[in-house]
Amino acid sequence: GAVVSQHPSWVICKSGTSVKIECRSLDFQATTMFWYRQFPKQSLMLMATSNEGSKATYEQGVEKDKFLINHASLTLSTLTVTSAHPEDSSFYICSARDKGRGNTEAFFGQGTRLTVV
Amino acid sequence: SQELEQSPQSLIVQEGKNLTINCTSSKTLYGLYWYKQKYGEGLIFLMMLQKGGEEKSHEKITAKLDEKKQQSSLHITASQPSHAGIYLCGAALGRAQKLVFGQGTRLTINP
């Protein structure tokens, strides 16, 4: 089955620094990828929709200057948390749809646990 | 506002019992996904439903999408400890087909 690889799986960074999270579709092309964050005991909250070759579409309340998304190729989207603060600590997870299969299941990465100290 | 309402939010059942989780949308669903997750881990795809009245089964888990395509149910028969986890329903919405999720149902199976 299709595989989405997310890296790193966990990261600890100092407050004020930036962290980049990568989401790769390993065996398919993904024109659209989605970025979510999840707080403990809560569901996944969609942050933004990442479109290859164009600007990401952010959900209401999500700061685009803080959460930078780049979707430079059909197999890679990156989320950069800039000037991270402890409240940014969360579980971030990406998903991607297979361009070749139309509206089928969305494949998820393993997630990244970010801790800002 | 929550685009997908999932119920119950928490469920504790005795091992061997059956259970049902519901997912309701105020809009017509064009793709309804069911996933399972252990917190802090990735999502495990269970099933996708697209057609009104569609029903799919995998092992002891059955999911249905009602005729009006606004509600789906996930039914587990003879529950086992391995079924414990968080169940999430997701739907593709809007022209961008963005995938949004319900609040999740935390399932606990007691021995």
Side-chain angles (χ1 to χ4, degrees):
Chain A
V3 177
V4 172
S5 176
Q6 193 171 334
H7 179 81
S9 55
W10 62 270
V11 58
I12 301 172
C13 71
K14 290 185 177 180
S15 187
T17 62
S18 295
V19 175
K20 180 185 284 188
I21 302 170
E22 293 187 347
C23 181
R24 293 181 184 271
S25 55
L26 297 186
D27 52 0
F28 66 97
Q29 293 182 328
T31 50
T32 304
M33 291 186 176
F34 304 94
W35 286 96
Y36 299 84
R37 69 186 297 182
Q38 185 180 35
F39 291 108
K41 297 187 178 182
Q42 293 188 24
S43 185
L44 276 68
M45 296 303 297
L46 180 64
M47 298 175 67
T49 302
S50 170
N51 303 297
E52 187 267 334
S54 64
K55 292 182 179 180
T57 304
Y58 289 82
E59 294 299 301
Q60 192 174 8
V62 178
E63 298 176 58
K64 62 180 181 180
D65 294 330
K66 180 167 184 64
F67 298 100
L68 300 179
I69 291 173
N70 184 281
H71 194 155
S73 76
L74 285 171
T75 59
L76 174 65
S77 176
T78 60
L79 169 69
T80 301
V81 183
T82 62
S83 188
H85 290 285
E87 56 264 31
D88 297 325
S89 298
S90 188
F91 185 66
Y92 294 86
I93 191 165
C94 68
S95 75
R97 279 210 186 88
D98 187 341
K99 176 186 177 185
R101 297 193 203 181
N103 186 22
T104 59
E105 68 176 282
F107 302 98
F108 281 81
Q110 310 93 315
T112 298
R113 180 179 299 284
L114 169 64
T115 302
V116 184
V117 298
Chain B
S1 63
Q2 191 73 32
E3 291 166 304
L4 287 178
E5 291 288 338
Q6 206 170 322
S7 63
Q9 293 187 28
S10 180
L11 188 57
I12 302 173
V13 299
Q14 202 75 26
E15 183 178 351
K17 298 293 185 182
N18 303 336
L19 63 104
T20 300
I21 300 169
N22 294 301
C23 180
T24 302
S25 171
S26 57
K27 303 176 183 177
T28 300
L29 299 169
Y30 293 100
L32 190 287
Y33 304 77
W34 283 101
Y35 290 88
K36 181 185 174 185
Q37 183 195 29
K38 292 183 180 180
Y39 177 69
E41 298 181 15
L43 274 64
I44 300 170
F45 173 76
L46 296 176
M47 274 165 273
M48 180 189 174
L49 305 166
Q50 284 185 295
K51 300 176 184 177
E54 187 174 11
E55 179 176 323
K56 289 186 178 178
S57 294
H58 176 68
E59 298 180 343
K60 294 185 178 180
I61 301 176
T62 300
K64 301 178 184 180
L65 182 62
D66 78 355
E67 290 291 341
K68 294 183 179 179
K69 296 175 65 177
Q70 288 188 284
Q71 184 175 26
S72 178
S73 59
L74 183 83
H75 186 76
I76 299 178
T77 304
S79 58
Q80 300 171 349
S82 60
H83 288 129
I86 301 169
Y87 288 81
L88 294 160
C89 67
L93 299 178
R95 212 172 71 174
Q97 293 288 286
K98 61 181 184 179
L99 189 59
V100 295
F101 288 88
Q103 311 97 313
T105 296
R106 184 177 298 271
L107 174 63
T108 303
I109 307 295
N110 284 337

